[in-house]
Structure formats: C-alpha cells, structure tokens
Amino acid sequence: MTETVTYSTLVLTLLMMVGLVFFIRASTKDRIETLTLARPVAPLTLLQTLTTHFEERAYTVTAAEADTQRIVLRGRVRPSLFLAVFLTLLAAIGGLCFALVLTNLWPAYGTGFLGLVGVAPIAGWFYWQGSARDEDIILQVRPEASSEDPTRPSATVAVTAHRDELIALEQDLGRETKKKASP
C-alpha cells in the first residue's frame, strides 16, 4: 500500500472520528419543540386532559398560573440503556478503525493503538450522565383568533416539551379520538 493511500485513509478516518464525537455529543441534546393543539372543548377541560396525560407519565405539576392559564410540569428523564450500549459499541468500532489505520502507518506501536478501543465506554458514560435530567413541560392556553360558532367551546393549547413526549401525546390523543369515534 502506498503512503498516499495510507495518509488519505488516515484523513478519512479522522473525519469519521469527528463525526462520531459530534454524534455522541448530540445524543444528550435537548430537543424541545412546541405543539399547538386545537380541540372543540373548553380550555380548562383540555388543560385537565393534558395534565392527566403527563401525570400518568410520571410528571408532577410544579406551577399553575390561573391568570395566564399556564401549567408547568416537571419530570425526571431516564437515560436509555440500549442507547448507552449502542454508543459504546459505535465508539469501540470507531476506535478500532482508527487503531488499524494508525497501526498501518506506524507498525512498531501497533498494540498500543489498540488501547483506543478501551476508551469506548466513555461514550456510554457521557450519554448516561448527560441525558439524566429534569425536564419541564409547559401547557399554555392561547386565545382563539376567531370562532365560527360562539356557542361551541373551542380551545387552543400550546404544549412545549421534548419531541418524544409530544409524539407520545399525539399518539395518545389519536387513540382517544378513535375510541370516541367508534360506536
């Protein structure tokens, strides 16, 4: 193998390692989004439904402001064992690839480079430490712009939470709607 091929492989492997580091860092990132729910029910009824849903998912009410019709819930997010193991495995494979390229460049130090695989559990530890945190969910009633039928109640609530919680909420509300629709 020529030196040009070896050094270009080293550069590509270094780029892979940079991507791996950013992937591991992104695993602990907050993914907070806002979902706006509009339902043909009274605002307080919708707030109660949402509060009950999140309390069933181990969140507790920490603040309820009646004047602004805003509720804040807090819960503890647990890290995923699967993701911790997965990130450790990815880091081990990346470390092994990097060690093999370095071994080709400097064969005298080959066994020492294999020690890079031993650094892989740091990725799982980093994820485990960074993803275990308290998380807030904010429920805020938004005023209706206009209503076609003033006698029919209508509510619009903005839910600010982690993306996974919003997905679970949409699924739960979808099941609830299907239950009501079926005779």
Side-chain angles (χ1 to χ4, degrees):
M1 196 180 313
T2 65
E3 279 190 32
T4 307
V5 171
T6 306
Y7 283 113
S8 62
T9 304
L10 175 65
V11 170
L12 291 174
T13 307
L14 285 173
L15 288 174
M16 178 204 59
M17 294 301 291
V18 169
L20 180 63
V21 167
F22 280 103
F23 183 76
I24 292 169
R25 281 186 52 207
S27 68
T28 61
K29 180 182 173 191
D30 281 340
R31 288 169 179 79
I32 304 297
E33 294 180 1
T34 300
L35 173 69
T36 303
L37 296 172
R39 298 283 189 258
V41 295
L44 293 178
T45 305
L46 183 57
L47 273 178
Q48 182 60 37
T49 302
L50 294 173
T51 303
T52 303
H53 167 79
F54 287 118
E55 285 176 341
E56 288 172 357
R57 294 183 58 83
Y59 286 86
T60 57
V61 176
T62 58
E65 302 164 3
D67 55 333
T68 60
Q69 293 185 337
R70 176 181 154 150
I71 297 174
V72 179
L73 298 106
R74 177 165 288 168
R76 184 82 178 156
V77 176
R78 294 185 326 224
S80 166
L81 180 61
F82 170 77
L83 193 53
V85 171
F86 180 68
L87 290 173
T88 302
L89 182 65
L90 282 181
I93 291 169
L96 180 63
C97 291
F98 191 47
L100 290 174
V101 170
L102 292 176
T103 301
N104 279 336
L105 283 173
W106 299 286
Y109 304 107
T111 57
F113 292 132
L114 290 177
L116 289 172
V117 177
V119 179
I122 292 174
W125 177 83
F126 175 78
Y127 164 74
W128 198 265
Q129 296 300 315
S131 65
R133 62 184 171 274
D134 288 336
E135 191 172 276
D136 288 340
I137 294 176
I138 301 170
L139 307 174
Q140 174 76 44
V141 175
R142 291 194 176 163
E144 284 290 317
S146 65
S147 179
E148 297 166 5
D149 185 8
T151 60
R152 196 173 113 220
S154 176
T156 302
V157 175
V159 182
T160 303
H162 191 274
R163 179 178 59 197
D164 295 339
E165 289 296 333
L166 294 177
I167 291 169
L169 175 65
E170 286 179 321
Q171 289 173 349
D172 190 42
L173 290 177
R175 281 192 298 263
E176 193 174 291
T177 304
K178 287 178 186 176
K179 284 181 187 175
K180 288 180 183 178
S182 62

